[in-house]
Amino acid sequence: MSSITSGNAVQYADSSKLAARGRLNREYTIAETGWFPWVARKLPLREGDCVLDIGCGPAWFWASVINDIPENLDLTLADQSSGMVEEALARCTPLPFGSVVGHQAEAAALPFGDDSFDVVIAMHMLYHLPDPAAGIAEMFRVLKPGGSLAVTTNGMGNMRGIYELTTVFGSEPFDPSAAVFGYDKAEELMRARFGDVTFSQHPASMRITEPEDVFLALTSYPPGDGADEAQLDAFRQAIAAAFERGNGVLEVEKETGLFVSRKPD
């Protein structure tokens, strides 16, 4: 949900490209409980906790779940992108938190002291790091003893029906984020650092009815955003064929989950 490496500077200078992908998930996901409130209700938050959100992005999460979380949280918003931090602060400052501060920061070199936070949250961002284990080590360091790390990421089967269409760009037919830091890697690295990890998968699927939203989402990041006209034409044709096979609908399965580990006392 955020920019962490320098190669993502253009992608995550602001939330415009992220919004195209957010719209696809927001408008077409079928779930008894939406993703943001589902995560919020599973986070180990208590009233007055000091919380660090690493890779906070534009803080859509906090604005969406303010009624699902305990009161008086002291929230620290951190992102490599100064534009994202500014947007996150503007969105969260009016909300009823105990305090809200923002920091432009690298996830693998956090500018916070040891044992500073009760809860650290990293939502869909560890796959941006060259070394996710280094990021997890930093999150462990800034957690208080007994504090919790909450990480979200995707499984290899996530939205496969969409990612199979991107082979026209030379991409593999699966979620690229899951290939870097999917369920197996999250389990492995968090257990290695913390000694324990619990996992929950959000029960959801997608029923997409507008082909253009698929096009906009998948051309909002590499390699789609750098595709030439021939590739873009081939992508539109692949999308059209998929919708034709589904009689005007693209049914897609989702694999998106939450991992939580607790730092020993």
Side-chain angles (χ1 to χ4, degrees):
M1 295 190 71
S2 131
S3 122
I4 301 298
T5 64
S6 58
N8 289 328
V10 174
Q11 268 291 307
Y12 296 99
D14 56 41
S15 62
S16 58
K17 291 181 178 293
L18 197 61
R21 305 193 286 279
R23 171 178 169 76
L24 191 70
N25 283 282
R26 184 178 65 253
E27 296 294 327
Y28 302 111
T29 293
I30 300 170
E32 183 175 338
T33 304
W35 168 244
F36 281 167
W38 181 85
V39 171
R41 294 166 195 175
K42 288 185 173 294
L43 291 176
L45 296 172
R46 300 164 299 181
E47 184 174 352
D49 272 352
C50 292
V51 180
L52 171 63
D53 182 357
I54 303 176
C56 62
W60 292 327
F61 172 74
W62 298 106
S64 298
V65 304
I66 194 64
N67 295 321
D68 295 297
I69 57 177
E71 297 180 349
N72 298 317
L73 298 178
D74 291 324
L75 179 62
T76 298
L77 300 161
D79 200 290
Q80 188 190 45
S81 164
S82 60
M84 288 290 196
V85 174
E86 291 173 7
E87 188 172 340
L89 284 172
R91 183 164 283 114
C92 290
T93 299
L95 300 177
F97 289 102
S99 65
V100 180
V101 296
H103 290 269
Q104 185 177 8
E106 297 280 351
L110 295 172
F112 310 112
D114 296 355
D115 307 339
S116 296
F117 298 96
D118 299 294
V119 178
V120 174
I121 298 169
M123 295 184 66
H124 280 75
M125 53 71 64
L126 277 161
Y127 46 75
H128 291 302
L129 298 187
D131 183 2
I136 289 174
E138 272 291 87
M139 297 172 201
F140 182 92
R141 179 184 66 79
V142 301
L143 273 172
K144 297 176 182 178
S148 295
L149 170 64
V151 167
T152 66
T153 193
N154 300 329
M156 288 292 287
N158 184 55
M159 296 167 56
R160 185 176 287 270
I162 289 178
Y163 288 110
E164 287 173 345
L165 304 177
T166 66
T167 55
V168 299
F169 303 138
S171 300
E172 297 292 339
F174 45 74
D175 186 335
S177 66
V180 177
F181 185 81
Y183 285 177
D184 290 347
K185 184 60 70 173
E187 165 89 21
E188 173 192 343
L189 295 183
M190 291 176 71
R191 188 174 298 282
R193 175 61 59 175
F194 286 84
D196 79 285
V197 60
T198 61
F199 168 72
S200 302
Q201 179 166 294
H202 182 224
S205 61
M206 300 179 77
R207 190 175 192 273
I208 306 170
T209 56
E210 177 49 63
E212 185 66 11
D213 283 338
V214 175
F215 180 85
L216 292 173
L218 273 295
T219 55
S220 70
Y221 64 94
D225 65 347
D228 59 31
E229 287 301 318
Q231 290 175 317
L232 293 176
D233 286 344
F235 186 42
R236 285 194 182 277
Q237 292 173 21
I239 293 171
F243 274 85
E244 184 175 353
R245 291 192 296 271
N247 296 315
V249 174
L250 182 59
E251 303 275 1
V252 178
E253 293 302 314
K254 297 194 75 173
E255 284 186 7
T256 306
L258 171 69
F259 293 82
V260 177
S261 289
R262 182 177 180 274
K263 184 174 181 176
D265 291 319

